[in-house]
Amino acid sequence: SDRVAALITGADNFGQTLVDRWRYAEGVRTNRGSILGDAGTAMAVSRRPGVAQLLAVGSASLPDLEQMYRGDRALFPLARDEGRSLDYGPRITRFAGRWPDEFAEAKQRLADTRTALARRTLDEAQVSVADIARVTHVLAGNPGYVRAVLGPLGIDPARGMLDFGRRVGHLGVNDHIAALDHLLATREVVAGDRILMLGNGVGIGLSCAVLEILPARSSR
C-alpha cells in the first residue's frame, strides 16, 4: 500500500444535563480531584519523520475489576444508558462500602499494574526513568494523584501535568494528546526529550507509550 499515515481523532463534550462536570466523581475514594472538560484532538501517525518518534507502546487490562464502574446494573443483557446520569462517584463508593477489602486490593492492583506496564514499555524503548523529561497522565487537579502515578516509578511529580490539568480538567479520551500539544506549543520539551504517556480508564484498561521529540527540521 502507498498509504503511509493514519489519522487518530477523539472528542468528548460533557455539556449536557446527565453529566455534572463539577461533581461527576463526588464521593469517589480517590485522590484525582477532577472536573470534566470538553475537548477535541487529532494526531497523525506516519512512517515519515515528524515532531516525535514513537519508541514503544504497551497495554494491559484488569477486566475482573469492571464492576467498580458498572455499579449495580447487570452485565447482561446489555442495557442502554439514555436517561441515566453519569455517576461514577456513587458507583465506586457503593462498591467500596460493600467490599472494602476488595476495593483496597483493586486500587493496589491498578497501581501495581500501571507501574509494571510503564517499566515494561520503558525497557522496550531502551529508555531509563532518568531519561524521561515529562509524563502525560489522566489529567487531575490534585497533586496526590500525580504523586501516586509517578512516585512508584521514581519520577519527580513536577515532570507531570498537574498545572495543565488544573486549568482544563479531565478531557476524557483527549488527555494525552492535549497534554502533548501543550508541551510542544509552550516549548516545555525540546529535541531529544523523551516523554512517557501513561494512562488508565474504566474497564479497567491501561496504556503506555514512550516518545522522543525530534529536531524541527525532521518535520519538514
Side-chain angles (χ1 to χ4, degrees):
S1 172
D2 58 354
R3 297 180 181 180
V4 297
L7 180 65
I8 301 173
T9 65
D12 274 307
N13 185 332
F14 300 102
Q16 54 105 354
T17 57
L18 295 178
V19 179
D20 185 345
R21 69 172 72 247
W22 309 106
R23 293 184 293 271
Y24 84 102
E26 195 169 72
V28 177
R29 301 181 189 183
T30 70
N31 55 1
R32 190 179 296 173
S34 296
I35 62 171
L36 293 172
D38 304 329
T41 55
M43 69 181 299
V45 180
S46 173
R47 299 174 187 170
R48 298 168 179 165
V51 297
Q53 180 181 2
L54 178 63
L55 302 180
V57 63
S59 63
S61 64
L62 297 169
D64 55 308
L65 301 182
E66 59 82 28
Q67 189 180 355
M68 284 199 301
Y69 293 93
R70 175 166 50 88
D72 294 330
R73 283 173 286 185
L75 182 59
F76 294 107
L78 298 177
R80 299 176 67 86
D81 279 343
E82 286 87 342
R84 302 190 65 168
S85 62
L86 178 68
D87 58 350
Y88 284 145
R91 293 183 203 177
I92 297 177
T93 299
R94 286 193 294 269
F95 182 92
R98 291 174 182 173
W99 302 290
D101 293 340
E102 288 82 352
F103 179 68
E105 179 185 356
K107 288 181 64 177
Q108 190 61 54
R109 283 184 61 202
L110 170 58
D112 292 345
T113 303
R114 183 172 54 205
T115 300
L117 172 63
R119 289 175 174 158
R120 186 175 79 233
T121 310
L122 286 167
D123 287 345
E124 183 178 336
Q126 298 183 345
V127 171
S128 72
V129 167
D131 294 328
I132 296 299
R134 299 298 297 266
V135 181
T136 68
H137 46 76
V138 176
L139 294 177
N142 191 323
Y145 175 76
V146 181
R147 288 195 300 270
V149 174
L150 304 190
L153 291 167
I155 298 177
D156 186 344
R159 298 193 217 173
M161 303 299 301
L162 177 64
D163 290 341
F164 182 63
R166 282 177 164 172
R167 290 203 300 274
V168 301
H170 175 29
L171 305 176
V173 71
N174 305 282
D175 279 356
H176 294 277
I177 305 307
L180 176 61
D181 179 72
H182 172 76
L183 291 173
L184 292 168
T186 57
R187 299 185 179 180
E188 295 180 44
V189 291
V190 298
D193 282 347
R194 278 76 175 269
I195 299 174
L196 175 67
M197 309 179 86
L198 181 58
N200 58 264
V202 298
I204 292 173
L206 305 98
S207 56
C208 185
V210 180
L211 307 179
E212 180 175 346
I213 304 302
L214 299 178
R217 60 182 174 82
S218 297
S219 61
R220 295 174 184 173

